Amino acid sequence: MESKFDDLAKTIDQASDEKNIDAINRALEKIEKNNVEELSSKELARLYFLKANCYATKRVISGDVKNWSWEDENLEKEIYYLRLSISECNSIPIKDDYSDLRYRVQTNLANALNHVGRFVEAIETWDNVLNENPTYAMAIGNRGHSLSWYARYLYDPYHQPIFLNESYWEIKKALEIGVEKHAVKDLLDWVDHLDSLTDWNEFNFEPGDESRGRSKIERSYRTWCIDNRLFLNPLNDIWMKDIVANDVLTFPPTIVKKGDENPLFPEVYGIYNQLKQEYVSARYILFEAIEESNTSLHFSDKRVKLYDMLDYREYRLWIEKLKMAFLSAYAIFDKIAYLLNQHWNLSINVQSVKFNSVWMKPGDKRKPLLEKFRYSDNWPLRGLFWLSKDLYFRTSENRPIEPDARHLNHIRNHIAHKYLRVYDHRLVDTKTWRENSGHELSYPISDLELKRQTMKVIKLVRSALIYLSLAAHAEESKARKILDDGLLAEMELYEIEELYRL
């Protein structure tokens, strides 16, 4: 089987070099003939990787690699199969894996996510590679290149040089280690560009030690947030240092026309405040749930009469906190859509606003993108759109780009409206149970899986709030360029002091 895949890989590489779309389609036909039930995890990982490469090649041939197209069916499939490949790679113990496939797959996925504007998730994916293989040059180089683009969209002038400095030294390091031939020129050109900005040898910013809190629990909480990249602070995407332990990201400066209703306090700031508060609250509830899962029975769970169903089901306060964190975080996505509708003047009826449909022309069954988005070069805004595809966004094949999307949707639905059954992961194989049984009324899940999926949703919300803020900044920057400075009067918004005293 392995030699068969070797031949298939050579065929795909040759077709890619020759830009032969017919050969790629024939390769896809060969891939489809494999019975996935008969393949090992190693074989499946490689097969999905090759399938993703086929769609990547089709994207190259069609000319969609460097444009700003918001919709790309080949890219959707590329991301989907890369994620399937990673899932199979993760089931293979590293000690039993003698190839670099897992690093290539994750690097390619990060590249694809970065291309569509999901740079926050791309950076974490490259870092996952580098945590296991610190000298994997293509991950280092692509990560460095992405940081430069990230810097362009930051509105905080103190953050920008930090990102650019990191970008410069990362690209230099990748070139010294040695990257693939096709990447050398672009990275060299980018280093030259960064060199023209300043002398990075003279840039010596080094954050000092800061307190992570007074109490043991606060320090533990902030350390957990730092380690999991959960602060609404762009610096948490590149550093795990004390300085990132605060949620500094806000809605950016906004231009308001004179005469607008309540111009001193544009409502978008209040909406973004609320989104942040709901996010940080869900984040803390998740932290509490994880902490309490490792402790003895909570007093509120004592003296509660429940019947033993003899199936290892769990009834605990921390389980309910996981559900609350999941549901609260998931609800933020539709609220982001309301802010999009208002700030981008989409004029969609508020009763019809949803995160996965706010991008589309309302009332049109073909679901075309709104013109305002279709031709936009706003990178983080496009990232927000592509993030919405992870949440059971229907593609041309009625399939999301996230293999877990349907699972996430079922979890949310059963917490909110039906019955989520949570089991001890050590005693019940809930995944097999779900696959072999219906779940109209109830849905089985392990406690470990509920933790994992809640963390995934929390991270997606964080990414979405960052993309939203930076996308708004990009739009406001364009608006400022067409206005005479003399027509603008700066007005300061004040922080709620109680939050920042300590």
Side-chain angles (χ1 to χ4, degrees), residues 162-205:
I162 294 172
F163 272 73
L164 292 173
N165 179 66
E166 184 93 359
S167 172
Y168 177 78
W169 293 111
E170 287 287 285
I171 296 174
K172 291 270 286 186
K173 180 179 178 181
L175 289 168
E176 289 170 4
I177 294 171
V179 296
E180 295 173 14
K181 186 177 179 180
H182 68 86
V184 173
K185 185 179 184 304
D186 282 346
L187 292 181
L188 283 172
D189 288 345
W190 207 252
V191 165
D192 288 342
H193 167 68
L194 292 172
D195 252 332
S196 69
L197 300 179
T198 191
D199 182 355
W200 296 106
N201 288 293
E202 297 296 320
F203 185 83
N204 58 2
F205 176 80

CSV table of all heavy atoms in Angstrom, one decimal, residues 162-205:
chain,number,residue,atom,x,y,z
A,162,ILE,N,6.9,45.2,17.6
A,162,ILE,CA,7.2,43.9,18.2
A,162,ILE,C,6.9,42.8,17.2
A,162,ILE,O,7.8,41.8,17.1
A,162,ILE,CB,6.3,43.7,19.5
A,162,ILE,CG1,6.8,44.8,20.6
A,162,ILE,CG2,6.5,42.3,20.0
A,162,ILE,CD1,5.8,44.8,21.8
A,163,PHE,N,5.8,42.8,16.5
A,163,PHE,CA,5.5,41.8,15.5
A,163,PHE,C,6.5,41.8,14.4
A,163,PHE,O,6.9,40.8,13.9
A,163,PHE,CB,4.1,42.0,15.0
A,163,PHE,CG,3.1,41.3,15.9
A,163,PHE,CD1,2.7,41.8,17.1
A,163,PHE,CD2,2.4,40.2,15.4
A,163,PHE,CE1,1.7,41.2,17.9
A,163,PHE,CE2,1.5,39.5,16.1
A,163,PHE,CZ,1.1,40.0,17.4
A,164,LEU,N,6.9,43.0,13.9
A,164,LEU,CA,7.8,43.1,12.8
A,164,LEU,C,9.2,42.6,13.2
A,164,LEU,O,9.9,42.0,12.4
A,164,LEU,CB,7.9,44.6,12.3
A,164,LEU,CG,6.6,45.1,11.6
A,164,LEU,CD1,6.8,46.6,11.4
A,164,LEU,CD2,6.3,44.4,10.3
A,165,ASN,N,9.6,42.9,14.4
A,165,ASN,CA,10.9,42.4,14.9
A,165,ASN,C,10.9,40.9,14.9
A,165,ASN,O,11.9,40.2,14.5
A,165,ASN,CB,11.2,43.0,16.3
A,165,ASN,CG,12.5,42.5,16.8
A,165,ASN,OD1,13.6,42.8,16.3
A,165,ASN,ND2,12.4,41.7,17.9
A,166,GLU,N,9.8,40.3,15.5
A,166,GLU,CA,9.7,38.9,15.5
A,166,GLU,C,9.7,38.3,14.1
A,166,GLU,O,10.3,37.2,13.8
A,166,GLU,CB,8.4,38.5,16.2
A,166,GLU,CG,8.2,37.0,16.4
A,166,GLU,CD,8.7,36.5,17.8
A,166,GLU,OE1,9.2,37.3,18.5
A,166,GLU,OE2,8.5,35.3,18.0
A,167,SER,N,9.0,38.9,13.2
A,167,SER,CA,9.0,38.5,11.8
A,167,SER,C,10.3,38.5,11.2
A,167,SER,O,10.7,37.5,10.5
A,167,SER,CB,8.0,39.4,11.0
A,167,SER,OG,8.1,39.1,9.6
A,168,TYR,N,11.1,39.5,11.4
A,168,TYR,CA,12.4,39.6,10.8
A,168,TYR,C,13.3,38.5,11.2
A,168,TYR,O,13.9,37.8,10.4
A,168,TYR,CB,13.0,41.0,11.1
A,168,TYR,CG,14.5,41.2,10.6
A,168,TYR,CD1,14.7,41.6,9.3
A,168,TYR,CD2,15.5,41.0,11.5
A,168,TYR,CE1,16.0,41.8,8.9
A,168,TYR,CE2,16.8,41.2,11.1
A,168,TYR,CZ,17.1,41.6,9.7
A,168,TYR,OH,18.3,41.8,9.3
A,169,TRP,N,13.4,38.3,12.5
A,169,TRP,CA,14.3,37.2,13.0
A,169,TRP,C,13.9,35.8,12.7
A,169,TRP,O,14.7,34.9,12.5
A,169,TRP,CB,14.6,37.4,14.5
A,169,TRP,CG,15.3,38.7,14.8
A,169,TRP,CD1,14.8,39.8,15.4
A,169,TRP,CD2,16.7,39.0,14.4
A,169,TRP,NE1,15.8,40.8,15.4
A,169,TRP,CE2,16.9,40.4,14.8
A,169,TRP,CE3,17.7,38.3,13.8
A,169,TRP,CZ2,18.2,41.0,14.7
A,169,TRP,CZ3,18.9,38.9,13.6
A,169,TRP,CH2,19.1,40.3,14.0
A,170,GLU,N,12.6,35.6,12.6
A,170,GLU,CA,12.0,34.3,12.2
A,170,GLU,C,12.4,34.0,10.8
A,170,GLU,O,12.8,32.9,10.5
A,170,GLU,CB,10.5,34.3,12.4
A,170,GLU,CG,10.1,34.2,13.8
A,170,GLU,CD,10.3,32.9,14.5
A,170,GLU,OE1,9.6,31.9,14.2
A,170,GLU,OE2,11.3,32.8,15.3
A,171,ILE,N,12.2,34.9,9.9
A,171,ILE,CA,12.6,34.7,8.5
A,171,ILE,C,14.1,34.5,8.3
A,171,ILE,O,14.5,33.6,7.6
A,171,ILE,CB,12.0,35.8,7.6
A,171,ILE,CG1,10.5,35.9,7.6
A,171,ILE,CG2,12.5,35.6,6.2
A,171,ILE,CD1,9.9,37.1,6.9
A,172,LYS,N,14.8,35.3,9.0
A,172,LYS,CA,16.3,35.1,9.0
A,172,LYS,C,16.7,33.7,9.4
A,172,LYS,O,17.5,33.0,8.8
A,172,LYS,CB,17.0,36.1,9.8
A,172,LYS,CG,16.9,37.5,9.3
A,172,LYS,CD,18.1,37.9,8.4
A,172,LYS,CE,19.3,38.1,9.2
A,172,LYS,NZ,20.4,38.6,8.4
A,173,LYS,N,16.1,33.2,10.5
A,173,LYS,CA,16.4,31.9,11.1
A,173,LYS,C,16.0,30.8,10.1
A,173,LYS,O,16.7,29.9,9.9
A,173,LYS,CB,15.6,31.7,12.4
A,173,LYS,CG,15.8,30.4,13.0
A,173,LYS,CD,15.0,30.3,14.3
A,173,LYS,CE,15.2,29.0,15.0
A,173,LYS,NZ,14.4,28.9,16.3
A,174,ALA,N,14.8,31.0,9.4
A,174,ALA,CA,14.4,30.0,8.5
A,174,ALA,C,15.3,29.9,7.3
A,174,ALA,O,15.7,28.8,6.8
A,174,ALA,CB,13.0,30.3,8.0
A,175,LEU,N,15.8,31.0,6.8
A,175,LEU,CA,16.7,31.0,5.7
A,175,LEU,C,18.1,30.4,6.1
A,175,LEU,O,18.7,29.7,5.3
A,175,LEU,CB,16.9,32.4,5.2
A,175,LEU,CG,15.7,33.0,4.4
A,175,LEU,CD1,15.9,34.5,4.2
A,175,LEU,CD2,15.5,32.3,3.1
A,176,GLU,N,18.5,30.6,7.3
A,176,GLU,CA,19.8,30.0,7.7
A,176,GLU,C,19.7,28.5,7.9
A,176,GLU,O,20.6,27.8,7.5
A,176,GLU,CB,20.1,30.6,9.1
A,176,GLU,CG,20.6,32.1,9.0
A,176,GLU,CD,20.8,32.7,10.4
A,176,GLU,OE1,20.6,32.0,11.4
A,176,GLU,OE2,21.0,33.9,10.4
A,177,ILE,N,18.5,28.0,8.3
A,177,ILE,CA,18.3,26.6,8.4
A,177,ILE,C,18.2,26.0,7.1
A,177,ILE,O,18.8,24.9,6.8
A,177,ILE,CB,17.1,26.3,9.3
A,177,ILE,CG1,17.3,26.7,10.7
A,177,ILE,CG2,16.8,24.8,9.2
A,177,ILE,CD1,16.0,26.6,11.6
A,178,GLY,N,17.5,26.7,6.2
A,178,GLY,CA,17.3,26.2,4.8
A,178,GLY,C,15.9,25.8,4.5
A,178,GLY,O,15.4,24.8,5.1
A,179,VAL,N,15.2,26.6,3.7
A,179,VAL,CA,13.8,26.3,3.3
A,179,VAL,C,13.8,25.7,1.9
A,179,VAL,O,14.8,25.6,1.2
A,179,VAL,CB,13.0,27.6,3.3
A,179,VAL,CG1,12.9,28.2,4.7
A,179,VAL,CG2,13.5,28.7,2.4
A,180,GLU,N,12.6,25.3,1.5
A,180,GLU,CA,12.4,24.7,0.2
A,180,GLU,C,12.7,25.7,-0.9
A,180,GLU,O,12.5,26.9,-0.7
A,180,GLU,CB,11.0,24.1,0.1
A,180,GLU,CG,10.7,23.0,1.0
A,180,GLU,CD,9.3,22.5,1.0
A,180,GLU,OE1,8.5,23.0,0.1
A,180,GLU,OE2,8.9,21.8,1.9
A,181,LYS,N,13.2,25.2,-2.0
A,181,LYS,CA,13.7,26.1,-3.0
A,181,LYS,C,12.7,27.1,-3.5
A,181,LYS,O,13.1,28.3,-3.7
A,181,LYS,CB,14.2,25.3,-4.2
A,181,LYS,CG,14.9,26.0,-5.3
A,181,LYS,CD,15.4,25.1,-6.4
A,181,LYS,CE,16.0,25.9,-7.6
A,181,LYS,NZ,16.5,25.0,-8.6
A,182,HIS,N,11.5,26.7,-3.6
A,182,HIS,CA,10.4,27.6,-4.2
A,182,HIS,C,10.2,28.8,-3.2
A,182,HIS,O,9.6,29.9,-3.7
A,182,HIS,CB,9.1,26.9,-4.4
A,182,HIS,CG,8.5,26.4,-3.2
A,182,HIS,ND1,7.6,27.2,-2.4
A,182,HIS,CD2,8.5,25.3,-2.5
A,182,HIS,CE1,7.2,26.6,-1.4
A,182,HIS,NE2,7.7,25.4,-1.4
A,183,ALA,N,10.6,28.7,-1.9
A,183,ALA,CA,10.2,29.8,-1.0
A,183,ALA,C,11.4,30.8,-0.7
A,183,ALA,O,11.2,31.8,-0.1
A,183,ALA,CB,9.9,29.1,0.4
A,184,VAL,N,12.6,30.5,-1.2
A,184,VAL,CA,13.7,31.3,-0.9
A,184,VAL,C,13.6,32.7,-1.4
A,184,VAL,O,13.8,33.6,-0.6
A,184,VAL,CB,15.0,30.6,-1.5
A,184,VAL,CG1,16.2,31.6,-1.3
A,184,VAL,CG2,15.3,29.3,-0.9
A,185,LYS,N,13.2,32.9,-2.6
A,185,LYS,CA,13.2,34.3,-3.2
A,185,LYS,C,12.2,35.2,-2.4
A,185,LYS,O,12.5,36.3,-2.0
A,185,LYS,CB,12.8,34.3,-4.6
A,185,LYS,CG,12.9,35.7,-5.3
A,185,LYS,CD,12.6,35.7,-6.7
A,185,LYS,CE,12.8,37.0,-7.4
A,185,LYS,NZ,12.0,38.1,-6.7
A,186,ASP,N,11.0,34.7,-2.2
A,186,ASP,CA,10.0,35.5,-1.5
A,186,ASP,C,10.5,35.9,-0.1
A,186,ASP,O,10.3,37.0,0.4
A,186,ASP,CB,8.7,34.7,-1.4
A,186,ASP,CG,7.9,34.7,-2.7
A,186,ASP,OD1,8.2,35.5,-3.5
A,186,ASP,OD2,7.0,33.9,-2.8
A,187,LEU,N,11.1,34.9,0.7
A,187,LEU,CA,11.6,35.2,2.0
A,187,LEU,C,12.7,36.2,2.0
A,187,LEU,O,12.8,37.1,2.9
A,187,LEU,CB,11.9,33.9,2.7
A,187,LEU,CG,10.8,33.0,3.1
A,187,LEU,CD1,11.3,31.7,3.8
A,187,LEU,CD2,9.7,33.7,3.9
A,188,LEU,N,13.6,36.0,1.0
A,188,LEU,CA,14.7,37.0,0.9
A,188,LEU,C,14.2,38.4,0.6
A,188,LEU,O,14.7,39.4,1.2
A,188,LEU,CB,15.7,36.5,-0.2
A,188,LEU,CG,16.6,35.4,0.2
A,188,LEU,CD1,17.4,35.0,-1.1
A,188,LEU,CD2,17.6,35.8,1.2
A,189,ASP,N,13.2,38.5,-0.3
A,189,ASP,CA,12.6,39.8,-0.6
A,189,ASP,C,12.0,40.4,0.6
A,189,ASP,O,12.1,41.6,0.9
A,189,ASP,CB,11.6,39.6,-1.7
A,189,ASP,CG,12.2,39.3,-3.1
A,189,ASP,OD1,13.4,39.5,-3.2
A,189,ASP,OD2,11.5,38.9,-4.0
A,190,TRP,N,11.4,39.6,1.4
A,190,TRP,CA,10.7,40.1,2.6
A,190,TRP,C,11.7,40.6,3.7
A,190,TRP,O,11.4,41.6,4.3
A,190,TRP,CB,9.7,39.0,3.2
A,190,TRP,CG,8.6,39.6,3.9
A,190,TRP,CD1,8.4,39.7,5.3
A,190,TRP,CD2,7.5,40.3,3.4
A,190,TRP,NE1,7.2,40.3,5.6
A,190,TRP,CE2,6.7,40.8,4.4
A,190,TRP,CE3,7.1,40.7,2.1
A,190,TRP,CZ2,5.5,41.5,4.2
A,190,TRP,CZ3,6.0,41.4,1.9
A,190,TRP,CH2,5.2,41.8,2.9
A,191,VAL,N,12.8,39.9,3.8
A,191,VAL,CA,13.8,40.3,4.7
A,191,VAL,C,14.4,41.6,4.3
A,191,VAL,O,14.6,42.5,5.1
A,191,VAL,CB,15.0,39.2,4.8
A,191,VAL,CG1,16.2,39.8,5.5
A,191,VAL,CG2,14.5,38.0,5.6
A,192,ASP,N,14.6,41.8,3.0
A,192,ASP,CA,15.1,43.1,2.5
A,192,ASP,C,14.1,44.2,2.8
A,192,ASP,O,14.5,45.3,3.1
A,192,ASP,CB,15.3,43.0,1.0
A,192,ASP,CG,16.5,42.1,0.6
A,192,ASP,OD1,17.4,41.9,1.5
A,192,ASP,OD2,16.6,41.7,-0.6
A,193,HIS,N,12.8,43.9,2.6
A,193,HIS,CA,11.8,44.9,2.9
A,193,HIS,C,11.8,45.3,4.4
A,193,HIS,O,11.8,46.5,4.7
A,193,HIS,CB,10.4,44.4,2.5
A,193,HIS,CG,9.3,45.2,3.1
A,193,HIS,ND1,9.0,46.5,2.6
A,193,HIS,CD2,8.4,44.9,4.1
A,193,HIS,CE1,8.0,47.0,3.3
A,193,HIS,NE2,7.6,46.1,4.2
A,194,LEU,N,11.9,44.3,5.3
A,194,LEU,CA,11.9,44.6,6.7
A,194,LEU,C,13.2,45.3,7.1
A,194,LEU,O,13.2,46.2,7.9
A,194,LEU,CB,11.8,43.3,7.5
A,194,LEU,CG,10.5,42.6,7.4
A,194,LEU,CD1,10.5,41.3,8.1
A,194,LEU,CD2,9.4,43.5,8.1
A,195,ASP,N,14.3,45.0,6.4
A,195,ASP,CA,15.6,45.7,6.6
A,195,ASP,C,15.5,47.2,6.3
A,195,ASP,O,16.2,48.0,6.9
A,195,ASP,CB,16.7,45.0,5.8
A,195,ASP,CG,17.7,44.2,6.6
A,195,ASP,OD1,17.9,44.6,7.8
A,195,ASP,OD2,18.2,43.3,6.1
A,196,SER,N,14.7,47.5,5.3
A,196,SER,CA,14.6,48.9,4.9
A,196,SER,C,13.8,49.7,5.9
A,196,SER,O,13.8,51.0,5.8
A,196,SER,CB,13.9,48.9,3.5
A,196,SER,OG,12.5,48.6,3.6
A,197,LEU,N,13.1,49.1,6.8
A,197,LEU,CA,12.3,49.8,7.8
A,197,LEU,C,13.1,50.4,8.9
A,197,LEU,O,12.8,51.5,9.4
A,197,LEU,CB,11.2,48.9,8.3
A,197,LEU,CG,10.2,48.3,7.3
A,197,LEU,CD1,9.1,47.4,8.0
A,197,LEU,CD2,9.5,49.5,6.5
A,198,THR,N,14.0,49.5,9.4
A,198,THR,CA,14.9,50.0,10.6
A,198,THR,C,16.0,49.0,10.7
A,198,THR,O,16.0,47.9,10.1
A,198,THR,CB,14.0,50.0,11.8
A,198,THR,OG1,14.8,50.7,12.9
A,198,THR,CG2,13.6,48.7,12.3
A,199,ASP,N,16.9,49.3,11.7
A,199,ASP,CA,17.9,48.4,12.0
A,199,ASP,C,17.4,47.5,13.2
A,199,ASP,O,17.4,47.9,14.3
A,199,ASP,CB,19.2,49.1,12.4
A,199,ASP,CG,20.4,48.2,12.8
A,199,ASP,OD1,20.2,47.0,12.8
A,199,ASP,OD2,21.5,48.7,13.0
A,200,TRP,N,17.1,46.3,12.9
A,200,TRP,CA,16.5,45.4,13.9
A,200,TRP,C,17.5,44.9,14.9
A,200,TRP,O,17.1,44.5,16.0
A,200,TRP,CB,15.8,44.2,13.2
A,200,TRP,CG,14.6,44.7,12.4
A,200,TRP,CD1,14.6,44.7,11.0
A,200,TRP,CD2,13.4,45.2,12.8
A,200,TRP,NE1,13.4,45.2,10.6
A,200,TRP,CE2,12.6,45.6,11.6
A,200,TRP,CE3,12.8,45.4,14.1
A,200,TRP,CZ2,11.4,46.1,11.7
A,200,TRP,CZ3,11.5,46.0,14.1
A,200,TRP,CH2,10.8,46.3,13.0
A,201,ASN,N,18.7,45.1,14.7
A,201,ASN,CA,19.7,44.8,15.7
A,201,ASN,C,19.7,45.8,16.8
A,201,ASN,O,20.1,45.5,17.9
A,201,ASN,CB,21.1,44.8,15.1
A,201,ASN,CG,21.4,43.7,14.1
A,201,ASN,OD1,21.5,42.5,14.6
A,201,ASN,ND2,21.5,43.9,12.9
A,202,GLU,N,19.1,47.0,16.5
A,202,GLU,CA,19.0,48.0,17.6
A,202,GLU,C,17.7,47.9,18.3
A,202,GLU,O,17.5,48.7,19.3
A,202,GLU,CB,19.1,49.4,16.9
A,202,GLU,CG,20.5,49.7,16.2
A,202,GLU,CD,21.6,49.7,17.2
A,202,GLU,OE1,21.4,50.2,18.3
A,202,GLU,OE2,22.7,49.1,16.9
A,203,PHE,N,16.8,47.1,17.9
A,203,PHE,CA,15.5,47.0,18.5
A,203,PHE,C,15.7,46.0,19.7
A,203,PHE,O,15.9,44.9,19.6
A,203,PHE,CB,14.5,46.3,17.6
A,203,PHE,CG,13.1,46.3,18.2
A,203,PHE,CD1,12.2,47.4,18.1
A,203,PHE,CD2,12.6,45.1,18.7
A,203,PHE,CE1,11.0,47.4,18.6
A,203,PHE,CE2,11.3,45.1,19.3
A,203,PHE,CZ,10.5,46.2,19.2
A,204,ASN,N,15.5,46.6,20.9
A,204,ASN,CA,15.9,45.8,22.1
A,204,ASN,C,14.8,45.8,23.2
A,204,ASN,O,15.0,45.7,24.4
A,204,ASN,CB,17.2,46.4,22.8
A,204,ASN,CG,17.0,47.8,23.1
A,204,ASN,OD1,16.0,48.4,23.0
A,204,ASN,ND2,18.1,48.4,23.7
A,205,PHE,N,13.5,45.8,22.7
A,205,PHE,CA,12.4,45.8,23.6
A,205,PHE,C,12.4,44.4,24.3
A,205,PHE,O,12.3,43.4,23.7
A,205,PHE,CB,11.1,46.0,22.9
A,205,PHE,CG,9.9,45.9,23.8
A,205,PHE,CD1,9.5,46.9,24.7
A,205,PHE,CD2,9.1,44.7,23.8
A,205,PHE,CE1,8.4,46.8,25.5
A,205,PHE,CE2,8.0,44.6,24.7
A,205,PHE,CZ,7.7,45.6,25.5
